[in-house]
Structure formats: C-alpha cells, structure tokens
Amino acid sequence: MRIDDLSMPLGSSAADVKRAAARKARLSEKDVRTFLILRKSIDARKKGAIRECYGVLISDAVERLPEVTFPHVGERDHRPVVIGFGPAGIFAAYVLALAGMRPLVLERGLPIEERAPKVDALWQRGVLDPNANAEYGEGGAGAFSDGKLNSGIKDKELSRFVLETFVKFGAPKEILYLNKPHVGTDKLRETIRAIRGEIERLGGEVRFRAEVTDLVREGGTIRLTADGEYLTDRVVLAIGHSARDTYERLLERGFAMESKPFAVGVRLESLQEDINEAMYGVRRDPRLPAADYKVAEHTALGGVYSFCMCPGGYVVCASSEEGGVVTNGMSYHARDGRNANAALLVGVDENDYGGGVLAGVEYQRRIERKAFGLAGGGYRAPCQRVGDFLKGRIGTLDGVVEPSYLPGVAPADLSRLLPERITGALRLALPALDRRVKGLAREDNLLTAPETRSSSPVRVLRDESYRSPSDPAFYPCGEGCGYAGGIMSAAVDGIRVARAILDECLR
Ligand SMILES: Cc1cc2nc3c(=O)[nH]c(=O)nc-3n(C[C@H](O)[C@H](O)[C@H](O)COP(=O)(O)OP(=O)(O)OC[C@H]3O[C@@H](n4cnc5c(N)ncnc54)[C@H](O)[C@@H]3O)c2cc1C
C-alpha cells in the first residue's frame, strides 16, 4: 500500500512513521515486511503548527522498487570516449563501464584531491588556475556546489538511479526520500571520487589534465587531440557550459550549433534566520532544516526569478577565465552558515546579445571582465546593499549581513555593471519579492554580481538518436550542449546518451 499524505509531528523518527503508516494501512506492525519512506517534506503552510509530511510504501509482502538495468555490450574495436567528467560525463562513463565498454574519459581539470587546493587558492588568495577552478576538474561544476539534487525532470526511474548511485558511493541515504535532496559539497566530493574508482574497477580509464583541443574525422574514426592522440568511433561531448574555447573549436570543425537564451543577474545574500522566520515563523528550531525559498515576479522589463538557492551557504567565485568575475553559491551538508543566498536572474536572448552562435558567450565575458575591473581585480566581486541598490547609490557594505564571498567584495554601483534592463527589472521585482518572502529586500541584504553562468548560452544540436547531425559519432550531452540545467538533469542526460550508445551497438 502506498500512503502519500502521512502528516506527522516535527522530529518524528522512522519508527514513529512506520507505526503511524501501519495504523493507517490497518496492519499490525509485526506483519510489516516492507516499509520504505519514499518522500519527506516540511508542511509549513500553518506557521505555528509545522508538520512533516511523508509518502511511504508499506506492505505485509516483500516488495521492491523497479530497478534500472543496462545491457552488456562488452569491448569493441575502439573504446568510447567521454569528454568532460562533470555529472553528465560521470554518469555516461559509469553506464558505459557497467555495460563492459571500458570508456576512456578525457578531463581537462584535476582529480578532486588536487583540484580542491587550487579552488582554495582562488577563494583565499585570488589566484585562478584556468584549468582547475569551480567549473573545471573532477566532478565538473557540480563538485563545489550546494549539491541540490532536485530537478523538474519527469523521468523518475532514472532520477532514482542517480540518487541510488550517489548513495551506493557514499552520499547520505536521506537523499532517496527528501523532496529537496541535498548532498553538500563536502560529501559530494567524496562520492564522486568513489564513482571514479568504480568506473576504473570496471575497466574504464579517467585521464586528468587531458584537455581536448581538437576533434577530426579520419575516415571511419575520430582523432582526438588531448594529452596525446586518441582514435575512437564514439564521443560523448559532456563539456559543461564554461568551455568557451571548446565551443570555438566545435564551431570551426563545422558542428551544428546555435545560440540559446540564458539568464544574468546577481546573488542575493540574507541572514538565514530571516529566511527561517519568513518561511517557518521561527528564527531557529533544531528540528527544522535551514529554510529555502523559490520566488518569481513578472515585471515590465522581464521576469525575475530566484535560482540555485543555498540555505546556510556561501557565495563563491566561479570564474574560469583570467580577468573575469563570476558568482555562484554553495553549501556544506550541514547547511549551517549564517547566511542564505540565491541567484536573482533575468532571462536574456538575442535581443540583448545580438546574432551569432557565440554572441551570448561574448555578452557573458564582457560583463565578467567589467566586474573584475569594477571591484579592483584579484577576483573580488562588486557588491551593494539592497537598500543602496534601490536608491541608486553605491553606499557602504556595513550592515548586519556580512558578505560570504571569497576572495572578498568591493562596494560598487551594480547599475554600472549590468545592462539597464536587468538592473531595472531587479529594482521593480525586489519590493514585490519581499511581499512573498518577508525580509528578502531588507536594506542590509547584499547583492553580489555578476551571476552569468546559470545555464549554457549555446546549444550543440543533436537528433532524436542523441547524435550530432554534423557527425553521428558525436553525442552532445549535458548542460554545456544545452540539454540540462543542474546536477540531476545533467546526470540523467549522461545516462540517456550512454543508453543510446548501447542501443546503437546492439542494433
Ligand atoms: C558553484 C556552483 C554551484 C552549483 N550548485 C548546484 C546545485 O546545488 N544543484 C544543481 O543541480 N546544480 C548546481 N550547479 C550547476 C551544476 O553544477 C551544473 O548544472 C552541472 O555540473 C552540469 O553538468 P555537466 O556534466 O553537463 O557539466 P560540468 O559539470 O560543467 O562538467 C563539464 C566538465 O567538462 C570538462 N571539460 C570542458 N571542456 C573540456 C575539454 N575540451 N576537454 C576535456 N574536458 C573538458 C570541464 O573541466 C568539466 O569538468 C552549480 C554550479 C556551480 C558552479
């Protein structure tokens, strides 16, 4: 029996939930042979009486959820090559390895244990390594992230496979049922390393410091240039949305690509306790997770929406190019930082950045470089209090919200950084958003900018068999090619592409 709406008091244990579910299913507890929590969420509609809400499977028979399996293909003349080891590349390689195809992964960045000190050097000392940063290296952009695993994708089976794989390799079990699963960068890094170990154990190979700089067809095979030359007949392109040089090379090599709308904005940082109060009616309760929010507002200058909200998290520098500043957000598993942050974004399209496949990339780059100069270099980011932003003055950063962004912020007038339509839309939206989540536009809240890399400005086209119409040996995949918008959707896309390769091999 599936029970979808089991309402329980805050702080209920699994045993409490099982007891209540058995009662509802009219089963004696000793007869229960299957008990699975499928979903857990917080019901905060009544602020003074917050409840936990569960979905469970309970039965007096032994039951199992359907399992995702992959056919065995075995070794072929050439190993399939996966370019990029972010969530899309990791899951494509994992599935190809499970099928016995011994994939070769080429990743421009470093293994996580060598990457972390490089990211630290950027965040602590403002020293950027263009091949080892918050975008590049083992785990891709997902490794130094909040590790939120929720997504709007409909494929529940593959989403569950991704969650189960994360749990199998060390992520906390609760992600299997929390309605907003979250791993945290600390646990995610360990999990990714363990998945790499399994890919290698299954006969795959992961090569770091292996930036693919060229891809050329030679008769029936593809020659890839990276840390050496590699011949293959199947390539998964899982390059992420920051590989601007790789986009250029793909364009030169004649791949069908187009520009695509994306979004630009700021990181809004507030006190976590303000958000807790707005969402739960209490500033702190150990039984409640740090509260999150999701808001959107239509304005005459375009829609404004929150994205990648990080409760108890930190604003981080996610630059990958010298002389450009990019903001993003991350958190640790405990989500116990003093501040909450979220991107506030406005959609942009050809009307903003003009025509040309890489016009969006240039638009991003211009803003990122301007930010670098405006904050005085060293990867510090321009920052402004909400009150000052709304009044149109630079102001100071003295207030109750301390900026968490590393390597540091500089007070700036964000209307000198972002296009007028974007700052205009943010100004119109902030008071309205404050009516949804009280305190969101508090004077002392901070806006750190620019948030330019929330999604890909380019799509590398593929057909219904997941292959490039320019060359069927290539499988565009993940966020960078325009088919995902987060860790979960990128991972699922990696699985779909790998499956397409398996199907093709078995045909
Ligand atoms: C700080 C931060 C926080 C985030 N927080 C979240 C979150 O909480 N939840 C969420 O869902 N999403 C989050 N995201 C977004 C998420 O990380 C991405 O959507 C996801 O990682 C995309 O996966 P991908 O595999 O398609 O690409 P990526 O993760 O970008 O991986 C691409 C990989 O390809 C490699 N590469 C690129 N070019 C080449 C080349 N030429 N040769 C070899 N290798 C190459 C790169 O080094 C990189 O490792 C966050 C992103 C950042 C930066």
Side-chain angles (χ1 to χ4, degrees), residues 82-86 88-90 92 236-240 475-478 480-481:
V82 177
I83 306 179
F85 203 53
I90 291 173
V236 178
L237 278 175
I239 56 175
Y475 292 76
C477 179
C481 293

PDB file of all heavy atoms in Angstrom, residues 82-86 88-90 92 236-240 475-478 480-481:
ATOM      1  N   VAL A  82      34.570   9.791 -23.482  1.00  0.00           N
ATOM      2  CA  VAL A  82      33.707  10.796 -22.854  1.00  0.00           C
ATOM      3  C   VAL A  82      34.577  12.020 -22.587  1.00  0.00           C
ATOM      4  O   VAL A  82      35.597  11.911 -21.900  1.00  0.00           O
ATOM      5  CB  VAL A  82      33.121  10.262 -21.524  1.00  0.00           C
ATOM      6  CG1 VAL A  82      32.280  11.336 -20.845  1.00  0.00           C
ATOM      7  CG2 VAL A  82      32.301   8.991 -21.755  1.00  0.00           C
ATOM      8  N   ILE A  83      34.187  13.168 -23.145  1.00  0.00           N
ATOM      9  CA  ILE A  83      34.950  14.398 -22.882  1.00  0.00           C
ATOM     10  C   ILE A  83      34.253  15.158 -21.773  1.00  0.00           C
ATOM     11  O   ILE A  83      33.114  15.606 -21.925  1.00  0.00           O
ATOM     12  CB  ILE A  83      35.061  15.287 -24.140  1.00  0.00           C
ATOM     13  CG1 ILE A  83      35.637  14.485 -25.307  1.00  0.00           C
ATOM     14  CG2 ILE A  83      35.931  16.511 -23.838  1.00  0.00           C
ATOM     15  CD1 ILE A  83      35.755  15.286 -26.601  1.00  0.00           C
ATOM     16  N   GLY A  84      34.943  15.294 -20.647  1.00  0.00           N
ATOM     17  CA  GLY A  84      34.382  16.016 -19.500  1.00  0.00           C
ATOM     18  C   GLY A  84      33.914  15.050 -18.426  1.00  0.00           C
ATOM     19  O   GLY A  84      33.263  14.045 -18.718  1.00  0.00           O
ATOM     20  N   PHE A  85      34.276  15.361 -17.160  1.00  0.00           N
ATOM     21  CA  PHE A  85      33.909  14.464 -16.048  1.00  0.00           C
ATOM     22  C   PHE A  85      33.101  15.223 -14.999  1.00  0.00           C
ATOM     23  O   PHE A  85      33.351  15.166 -13.819  1.00  0.00           O
ATOM     24  CB  PHE A  85      35.189  13.854 -15.451  1.00  0.00           C
ATOM     25  CG  PHE A  85      34.968  12.564 -14.709  1.00  0.00           C
ATOM     26  CD1 PHE A  85      34.299  11.501 -15.297  1.00  0.00           C
ATOM     27  CD2 PHE A  85      35.446  12.409 -13.415  1.00  0.00           C
ATOM     28  CE1 PHE A  85      34.095  10.300 -14.605  1.00  0.00           C
ATOM     29  CE2 PHE A  85      35.258  11.216 -12.714  1.00  0.00           C
ATOM     30  CZ  PHE A  85      34.584  10.161 -13.317  1.00  0.00           C
ATOM     31  N   GLY A  86      32.094  15.993 -15.498  1.00  0.00           N
ATOM     32  CA  GLY A  86      31.075  16.563 -14.616  1.00  0.00           C
ATOM     33  C   GLY A  86      29.966  15.525 -14.486  1.00  0.00           C
ATOM     34  O   GLY A  86      30.115  14.387 -14.940  1.00  0.00           O
ATOM     35  N   ALA A  88      27.276  14.895 -16.119  1.00  0.00           N
ATOM     36  CA  ALA A  88      26.857  14.234 -17.365  1.00  0.00           C
ATOM     37  C   ALA A  88      27.897  13.205 -17.791  1.00  0.00           C
ATOM     38  O   ALA A  88      27.565  12.044 -18.093  1.00  0.00           O
ATOM     39  CB  ALA A  88      26.651  15.281 -18.467  1.00  0.00           C
ATOM     40  N   GLY A  89      29.176  13.625 -17.791  1.00  0.00           N
ATOM     41  CA  GLY A  89      30.249  12.713 -18.193  1.00  0.00           C
ATOM     42  C   GLY A  89      30.416  11.557 -17.222  1.00  0.00           C
ATOM     43  O   GLY A  89      30.657  10.421 -17.631  1.00  0.00           O
ATOM     44  N   ILE A  90      30.264  11.829 -15.922  1.00  0.00           N
ATOM     45  CA  ILE A  90      30.419  10.773 -14.904  1.00  0.00           C
ATOM     46  C   ILE A  90      29.379   9.680 -15.140  1.00  0.00           C
ATOM     47  O   ILE A  90      29.693   8.481 -15.190  1.00  0.00           O
ATOM     48  CB  ILE A  90      30.248  11.350 -13.477  1.00  0.00           C
ATOM     49  CG1 ILE A  90      31.427  12.257 -13.135  1.00  0.00           C
ATOM     50  CG2 ILE A  90      30.100  10.237 -12.457  1.00  0.00           C
ATOM     51  CD1 ILE A  90      31.277  13.017 -11.813  1.00  0.00           C
ATOM     52  N   ALA A  92      27.516   9.123 -17.859  1.00  0.00           N
ATOM     53  CA  ALA A  92      27.674   8.460 -19.167  1.00  0.00           C
ATOM     54  C   ALA A  92      28.770   7.401 -19.042  1.00  0.00           C
ATOM     55  O   ALA A  92      28.595   6.244 -19.450  1.00  0.00           O
ATOM     56  CB  ALA A  92      28.030   9.495 -20.234  1.00  0.00           C
ATOM     57  N   VAL A 236      31.270  11.156 -26.454  1.00  0.00           N
ATOM     58  CA  VAL A 236      30.252  11.885 -25.685  1.00  0.00           C
ATOM     59  C   VAL A 236      30.833  13.263 -25.354  1.00  0.00           C
ATOM     60  O   VAL A 236      31.889  13.369 -24.736  1.00  0.00           O
ATOM     61  CB  VAL A 236      29.896  11.135 -24.373  1.00  0.00           C
ATOM     62  CG1 VAL A 236      28.871  11.933 -23.570  1.00  0.00           C
ATOM     63  CG2 VAL A 236      29.385   9.730 -24.672  1.00  0.00           C
ATOM     64  N   LEU A 237      30.126  14.302 -25.795  1.00  0.00           N
ATOM     65  CA  LEU A 237      30.589  15.676 -25.559  1.00  0.00           C
ATOM     66  C   LEU A 237      29.908  16.209 -24.308  1.00  0.00           C
ATOM     67  O   LEU A 237      28.802  16.727 -24.374  1.00  0.00           O
ATOM     68  CB  LEU A 237      30.162  16.564 -26.721  1.00  0.00           C
ATOM     69  CG  LEU A 237      30.981  16.590 -27.997  1.00  0.00           C
ATOM     70  CD1 LEU A 237      30.267  17.466 -29.029  1.00  0.00           C
ATOM     71  CD2 LEU A 237      32.373  17.125 -27.724  1.00  0.00           C
ATOM     72  N   ALA A 238      30.568  16.057 -23.156  1.00  0.00           N
ATOM     73  CA  ALA A 238      29.945  16.487 -21.889  1.00  0.00           C
ATOM     74  C   ALA A 238      30.793  17.606 -21.283  1.00  0.00           C
ATOM     75  O   ALA A 238      31.295  17.502 -20.172  1.00  0.00           O
ATOM     76  CB  ALA A 238      29.826  15.299 -20.938  1.00  0.00           C
ATOM     77  N   ILE A 239      30.947  18.689 -22.036  1.00  0.00           N
ATOM     78  CA  ILE A 239      31.974  19.702 -21.745  1.00  0.00           C
ATOM     79  C   ILE A 239      31.542  20.812 -20.784  1.00  0.00           C
ATOM     80  O   ILE A 239      32.361  21.643 -20.418  1.00  0.00           O
ATOM     81  CB  ILE A 239      32.458  20.355 -23.064  1.00  0.00           C
ATOM     82  CG1 ILE A 239      31.240  20.932 -23.821  1.00  0.00           C
ATOM     83  CG2 ILE A 239      33.225  19.360 -23.916  1.00  0.00           C
ATOM     84  CD1 ILE A 239      31.608  21.694 -25.073  1.00  0.00           C
ATOM     85  N   GLY A 240      30.278  20.846 -20.398  1.00  0.00           N
ATOM     86  CA  GLY A 240      29.838  21.909 -19.483  1.00  0.00           C
ATOM     87  C   GLY A 240      29.714  23.253 -20.191  1.00  0.00           C
ATOM     88  O   GLY A 240      30.169  23.414 -21.327  1.00  0.00           O
ATOM     89  N   TYR A 475      28.022  12.603 -29.596  1.00  0.00           N
ATOM     90  CA  TYR A 475      26.793  12.641 -28.796  1.00  0.00           C
ATOM     91  C   TYR A 475      26.850  13.875 -27.882  1.00  0.00           C
ATOM     92  O   TYR A 475      27.423  13.811 -26.789  1.00  0.00           O
ATOM     93  CB  TYR A 475      26.688  11.375 -27.943  1.00  0.00           C
ATOM     94  CG  TYR A 475      26.465  10.118 -28.753  1.00  0.00           C
ATOM     95  CD1 TYR A 475      27.507   9.530 -29.453  1.00  0.00           C
ATOM     96  CD2 TYR A 475      25.207   9.524 -28.807  1.00  0.00           C
ATOM     97  CE1 TYR A 475      27.303   8.378 -30.202  1.00  0.00           C
ATOM     98  CE2 TYR A 475      24.995   8.377 -29.554  1.00  0.00           C
ATOM     99  CZ  TYR A 475      26.049   7.815 -30.243  1.00  0.00           C
ATOM    100  OH  TYR A 475      25.844   6.678 -30.985  1.00  0.00           O
ATOM    101  N   PRO A 476      26.289  15.021 -28.319  1.00  0.00           N
ATOM    102  CA  PRO A 476      26.252  16.203 -27.443  1.00  0.00           C
ATOM    103  C   PRO A 476      25.439  15.891 -26.186  1.00  0.00           C
ATOM    104  O   PRO A 476      24.369  15.272 -26.272  1.00  0.00           O
ATOM    105  CB  PRO A 476      25.548  17.260 -28.300  1.00  0.00           C
ATOM    106  CG  PRO A 476      25.740  16.784 -29.710  1.00  0.00           C
ATOM    107  CD  PRO A 476      25.704  15.289 -29.639  1.00  0.00           C
ATOM    108  N   CYS A 477      25.933  16.305 -25.023  1.00  0.00           N
ATOM    109  CA  CYS A 477      25.343  15.818 -23.769  1.00  0.00           C
ATOM    110  C   CYS A 477      25.467  16.858 -22.664  1.00  0.00           C
ATOM    111  O   CYS A 477      26.408  17.661 -22.648  1.00  0.00           O
ATOM    112  CB  CYS A 477      26.116  14.547 -23.392  1.00  0.00           C
ATOM    113  SG  CYS A 477      25.614  13.751 -21.863  1.00  0.00           S
ATOM    114  N   GLY A 478      24.532  16.862 -21.749  1.00  0.00           N
ATOM    115  CA  GLY A 478      24.662  17.650 -20.520  1.00  0.00           C
ATOM    116  C   GLY A 478      24.387  19.130 -20.707  1.00  0.00           C
ATOM    117  O   GLY A 478      23.854  19.586 -21.729  1.00  0.00           O
ATOM    118  N   GLY A 480      26.408  21.840 -21.002  1.00  0.00           N
ATOM    119  CA  GLY A 480      27.171  22.642 -21.955  1.00  0.00           C
ATOM    120  C   GLY A 480      26.618  22.566 -23.363  1.00  0.00           C
ATOM    121  O   GLY A 480      26.767  23.505 -24.149  1.00  0.00           O
ATOM    122  N   CYS A 481      26.003  21.452 -23.695  1.00  0.00           N
ATOM    123  CA  CYS A 481      25.439  21.316 -25.044  1.00  0.00           C
ATOM    124  C   CYS A 481      23.977  21.747 -25.066  1.00  0.00           C
ATOM    125  O   CYS A 481      23.307  21.649 -26.091  1.00  0.00           O
ATOM    126  CB  CYS A 481      25.619  19.884 -25.542  1.00  0.00           C
ATOM    127  SG  CYS A 481      27.366  19.491 -25.797  1.00  0.00           S
TER     128      CYS A 481
END
